């Protein structure tokens, strides 16, 4: 559950026009951030997630053969049986920030991922705004999305 202190976090999304991606970020108690990414397109998307964090992040994936599937749907490699119990091997991924500081992951077409990470202490660094010449503090996550280009064999 998200808990009573859960707050939506503003996202800045940079994506090509044909990327059919939805994204939400929620900050929960204990300074944890959850980012939900849903790829509704027919192509895989490469995500570069810039967060105010440096700790390893967990990735839970929701996968299915198609958006209309009634079977073959898994969450972290597990599926629900007829009794509503989770069965199968749990497969949560862990990712770390890359050399440029972002968390990189690929969303396969028609899939979703929930990224969870512990936030670092609020940054005291300030960025000079080019537009106003004033000092501004950034408090939002940044998502940069690139279309995944399939390699020809």
């Amino acid at each position: 559950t998200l808990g009573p202190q859960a707050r939506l976090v503003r996202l800045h999304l940079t994506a090509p026009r044909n990327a059919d991606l939805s994204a939400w970020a929620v900050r929960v108690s204990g300074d944890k951030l959850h980012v939900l990414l849903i790829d509704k397109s027919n192509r895989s998307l490469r995500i570069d997630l810039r967060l105010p964090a440096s700790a390893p992040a967990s990735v839970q994936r929701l996968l299915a053969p198609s958006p209309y599937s009634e079977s073959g749907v898994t969450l972290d490699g597990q599926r629900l049986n007829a009794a509503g119990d989770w069965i199968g091997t749990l497969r949560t991924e862990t990712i770390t920030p890359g050399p440029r500081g972002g968390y990189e992951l690929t969303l396969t077409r028609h899939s979703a991922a929930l990224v969870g990470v512990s936030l670092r202490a609020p940054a005291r660094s300030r960025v000079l705004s080019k537009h106003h010449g004033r000092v501004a503090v950034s408090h939002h996550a940044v998502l940069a999305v690139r279309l995944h280009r399939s390699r020809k064999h």
Side-chain angles (χ1 to χ4, degrees), residues 70-131:
E70 294 183 14
S71 64
V73 179
T74 62
L75 176 63
D76 272 355
Q78 295 185 308
R79 61 182 176 82
L80 291 171
N81 65 13
D85 300 315
W86 290 104
I87 59 172
T89 305
L90 184 65
R91 285 184 253 158
T92 301
E93 299 171 41
T94 300
I95 57 175
T96 57
R100 291 180 275 156
Y103 294 86
E104 295 182 5
L105 67 146
T106 299
L107 283 179
T108 57
R109 63 189 188 119
H110 305 300
S111 72
L114 179 64
V115 178
V117 67
S118 293
L119 298 173
R120 61 179 169 241
R124 298 277 185 221
S125 62
R126 295 174 184 267
V127 178
L128 185 63
S129 167
K130 292 179 184 176
H131 181 69

Side-chain angles (χ1 to χ4, degrees), residues 10-142:
R10 185 173 53 140
L11 288 175
H12 173 76
L13 178 62
T14 304
R17 286 182 184 236
N18 58 349
D20 194 0
L21 175 74
S22 294
W24 295 271
V26 177
R27 186 174 186 161
V28 297
S29 64
D31 283 334
K32 302 269 188 219
L33 184 71
H34 296 280
V35 180
L36 177 61
L37 305 164
I38 302 174
D39 179 3
K40 298 175 278 187
S41 71
N42 286 320
R43 297 183 68 178
S44 294
L45 296 175
R46 193 170 294 142
I47 310 292
D48 183 19
L49 192 54
R50 305 290 173 123
L51 303 172
S54 57
S58 65
V59 180
Q60 299 176 344
R61 294 187 182 268
L62 178 65
L63 303 172
S66 83
Y68 309 102
S69 296
E70 294 183 14
S71 64
V73 179
T74 62
L75 176 63
D76 272 355
Q78 295 185 308
R79 61 182 176 82
L80 291 171
N81 65 13
D85 300 315
W86 290 104
I87 59 172
T89 305
L90 184 65
R91 285 184 253 158
T92 301
E93 299 171 41
T94 300
I95 57 175
T96 57
R100 291 180 275 156
Y103 294 86
E104 295 182 5
L105 67 146
T106 299
L107 283 179
T108 57
R109 63 189 188 119
H110 305 300
S111 72
L114 179 64
V115 178
V117 67
S118 293
L119 298 173
R120 61 179 169 241
R124 298 277 185 221
S125 62
R126 295 174 184 267
V127 178
L128 185 63
S129 167
K130 292 179 184 176
H131 181 69
H132 297 289
R134 298 182 187 154
V135 173
V137 179
S138 177
H139 292 291
H140 60 276
V142 176

